[in-house]
Amino acid sequence: MDGAGPARYLGVDIGTSVAKLALFDEDGTVLRTAGRSVPLQHPAPGHVEQDAAAVFAAVAELAREVCPTPADAPQLVAVTGQGDGCWLLDDDAQPVGPALSWLDARAGDVLADWDRAGVTEAIYRRTGNSLFPGAQAPLLAWLDKHQPDRLARAATAGYCKDMVFGRLTGVRATDASDASMPFGDATGSRYDSGVLDACGLAHRAGLLAPVVTPLPTGTVTAGAAALTGLPAGVAVTGGPYDLPACAAGGGVTEFGAGLLTLGTTLACQVLVSTVDKSGTRAGMHLATGTPGRWLRAMPAMVGTASLDWLLALLGRGHDQLDGMLRETAPGAGGVEVLPYLAPSGERAPFVDPAARGQFTGIELTTTGAQLVRALCEGLGYAARQCLEAAGLSGRLVVCGGGTRSLPWLEIFASVLGRPLELARSPEVGARGAVLAGLAALGEPVEVAAWTRPDRLIDPDPAAVSYYEDGYRRYLANQDAARPRWRR
């Protein structure tokens, strides 16, 4: 890109509860990062919302912090963020009420009705994507029934990164990855009218933003420059959303390779060459913007959020996690966990809004450290089930906040029975957004250098054998629990 000084690229990653920005140099080295909490709101049981205006305000503040001088001005601003949910926007990409998070469960009854009517099954066989309560289709259907006035005031039913991209550029658009789920036609380039019809939302088709491949592009407007401190006219790209952005930032480029993200969600992805609409209805096929390349995604609902909950319940801190894992042996003294703790149930590698977690094998001698280890092992088993369902056959990259714990990574490696490549840090999602943005603009970049792993984590051969038996018990516990979920 043209510029008088060294190249600078700004990655914007709006997570579920934290907005993060990272400034990269031309070699992929992170020069500066900053983050802001943007809390979720729970206005009613099952309702999970976010103040979209506060999200953009956080991005604007962080841009001034990460790029404080003219010498830090980026040649590209690349935006990624949380997927799913429903972000209603007006003609100026301003929010029309609070955003509905992907964690929102209010549309559970809508989804249950669609399940009984065969709608969700038909959509999966058509697109390879399974719906869950926080997907945009059931949320839009809920809004259409309960808050049609909000939809009438909206110009777009978009996603988080679409809102930020629209505020920066004035361009109304979305990318292939977000468009894939739930209304995409499995090509990554357009919407499927049959899916809209099946959901009873054909009359709301005008709310869907145009799909631009490989990515939407624009430039920072004068108004956005005044708010963010970014120079007007700087190139901006929108997408992909956080799951495929992390895959790009982790260097997942060959078919069969996968990414495990230990974040708020336990997100598992494998790069595939076809959309498989057969088998058990679960997970998603995310278009990458490149024909013949999809990410088979199995994002379990809860990852590090479940560990946060348990540590808080026990009065322990994250700084104690490594010690608790090191002082306990594989098997956690007989304690076993099904880690389905999200109020909206589970979405991968199976879809069940009624799924709930359980701890078994507890006795008076059970310690807090054993409970924590059992949960960490349970999340390892959940990841294995997701990755097997996604078709993992090659190398596996790992990223996310949970990777700060080496003992936990060693558990994952042993449960999965394979080495883990720790993605180059920090800010893997922002890194992937920049790489995708440069590719969309036709700018050369050394992907291998940008994505070289920080380290390799090998499995413990003795633990691998133990966890093989543990995984079989995990699957048996899962089958035994299903009747209780129905009650």
Side-chain angles (χ1 to χ4, degrees):
M1 290 185 173
D2 293 336
R8 298 286 185 266
Y9 310 115
L10 182 62
V12 178
D13 184 359
I14 308 101
T16 300
S17 57
V18 178
K20 298 162 288 185
L21 271 64
L23 187 66
F24 298 87
D25 70 10
E26 58 191 7
D27 297 320
T29 300
V30 174
L31 303 174
R32 196 176 293 113
T33 65
R36 288 281 189 286
S37 174
V38 186
L40 296 169
Q41 302 163 347
H42 304 269
H47 291 213
V48 185
E49 299 178 347
Q50 202 158 30
D51 184 341
V55 169
F56 186 76
V59 171
E61 292 171 5
L62 291 168
R64 292 182 179 275
E65 185 174 335
V66 173
C67 303
T69 71
D72 296 309
Q75 282 75 46
L76 167 67
V77 180
V79 183
T80 185
Q82 57 184 293
D84 300 301
C86 187
W87 296 62
L88 296 180
L89 311 172
D90 66 14
D91 288 322
D92 298 316
Q94 297 280 357
V96 180
L100 277 59
S101 168
W102 61 271
L103 287 165
D104 197 283
R106 74 185 71 187
D109 289 344
V110 172
L111 198 63
D113 289 343
W114 288 355
D115 281 341
R116 286 188 288 269
V119 172
T120 50
E121 180 71 16
I123 290 174
Y124 184 80
R125 302 306 166 194
R126 192 177 182 104
T127 69
N129 288 314
S130 58
L131 302 181
F132 66 102
Q136 194 180 82
L139 289 176
L140 267 179
W142 188 94
L143 288 166
D144 192 54
K145 179 179 180 179
H146 297 283
Q147 297 180 7
D149 57 316
R150 279 188 65 190
L151 295 184
R153 299 197 309 273
T156 301
Y159 300 95
C160 178
K161 60 112 172 76
D162 299 337
M163 181 273 293
V164 174
F165 176 77
R167 291 289 303 275
L168 290 174
T169 66
V171 176
R172 178 179 182 262
T174 195
D175 81 301
S177 67
D178 257 332
S180 301
M181 172 71 177
F183 300 116
D185 69 348
T187 68
S189 61
R190 56 186 178 272
Y191 300 111
D192 187 329
S193 59
V195 175
L196 284 159
D197 285 337
C199 296
L201 292 168
H203 62 297
R204 298 297 187 183
L207 288 173
L208 304 183
V211 184
V212 178
T213 57
L215 290 178
T217 61
T219 58
V220 175
T221 66
L227 292 172
T228 64
L230 297 169
V234 168
V236 184
T237 55
Y241 85 88
D242 60 0
L243 291 188
C246 284
V252 176
T253 57
E254 65 273 20
F255 293 125
L259 179 79
L260 168 60
T261 303
L262 306 182
T264 303
T265 59
L266 188 69
C268 303
Q269 304 175 79
V270 175
L271 188 63
V272 298
S273 58
T274 59
V275 175
D276 182 3
K277 307 171 188 175
S278 63
T280 302
R281 174 174 60 87
M284 315 163 186
H285 287 82
L286 305 176
T288 63
T290 301
R293 297 174 73 86
W294 288 266
L295 284 160
R296 182 75 168 104
M298 291 283 176
M301 286 297 292
V302 177
T304 58
S306 59
L307 184 59
D308 296 342
W309 165 80
L310 181 57
L311 289 173
L313 200 65
L314 295 172
R316 306 288 187 94
H318 285 84
D319 58 340
Q320 298 173 278
L321 174 61
D322 287 5
M324 286 188 284
L325 295 179
R326 288 195 174 102
E327 73 183 52
T328 51
V335 182
E336 296 178 330
V337 174
L338 294 179
Y340 314 130
L341 302 183
S344 54
E346 191 49 270
R347 60 177 176 175
F350 57 87
V351 179
D352 194 334
R356 292 297 180 267
Q358 68 178 40
F359 285 69
T360 58
I362 299 172
E363 58 188 24
L364 289 176
T365 60
T366 298
T367 67
Q370 288 173 328
L371 293 175
V372 169
R373 185 182 186 96
L375 177 59
C376 288
E377 290 176 343
L379 288 167
Y381 294 136
R384 176 169 171 174
Q385 190 178 12
C386 285
L387 288 165
E388 288 180 353
L392 178 69
S393 61
R395 64 191 185 90
L396 181 62
V397 182
V398 61
C399 69
T403 62
R404 288 190 288 268
S405 172
L406 179 59
W408 195 13
L409 287 179
E410 291 169 346
I411 289 174
F412 273 104
S414 297
V415 168
L416 295 166
R418 63 174 64 236
L420 305 179
E421 298 179 18
L422 182 59
R424 187 179 179 187
S425 299
E427 305 307 339
V428 178
R431 181 181 301 275
V434 170
L435 286 172
L438 290 171
L441 296 174
E443 296 291 339
V445 62
E446 190 61 46
V447 175
W450 271 65
T451 61
R452 66 177 183 272
D454 282 343
R455 68 176 298 171
L456 192 69
I457 298 94
D458 289 313
D460 176 356
V464 168
S465 176
Y466 179 89
Y467 286 133
E468 282 296 326
D469 292 336
Y471 182 54
R472 285 192 288 272
R473 290 195 302 274
Y474 173 84
L475 296 177
N477 289 341
Q478 184 184 100
D479 289 338
R482 294 182 190 277
R484 291 193 292 274
W485 299 343
R486 294 292 167 270
R487 292 201 299 272

